[in-house]
Amino acid sequence: MYSFNNLFSSWENLVRRMESDWQLPGQYPISAYINDLDARDQLQIAMGTLTDEAQAELSAPLAALDTRFVYESVPDEGVSSARG
């Protein structure tokens, strides 16, 4: 299991990559994208294991990343991400 810091970093890196218009085409395989999405799922679970103080401190930065992710997302119009 990855540490909370590694999970948070993976999620943040994905959001930053999206904001930079996915620079370096071909350097980010679909498997890495899926792993980064999984990191966000694991963050939700990990948040539940933190102290109330830590949750309060980290919930705002995590919510901000989630908002940025949604803003940068575009509909896939039914095209499967498996096509990569």
Side-chain angles (χ1 to χ4, degrees), residues 1-15 28 30-50 62 65-66 69:
M1 172 102 183
Y2 291 107
S3 72
F4 187 89
N5 288 341
N6 287 342
L7 294 170
F8 196 94
S9 179
S10 291
W11 185 236
E12 182 176 29
N13 288 338
L14 170 60
V15 172
Y28 188 67
I30 191 70
S31 60
Y33 177 70
I34 292 168
N35 286 339
D36 289 338
L37 292 177
D38 185 55
R40 178 58 185 92
D41 292 340
Q42 294 302 313
L43 272 172
Q44 191 65 37
I45 295 167
M47 285 289 284
T49 68
L50 300 176
L62 184 56
L65 282 174
D66 291 346
F69 175 82

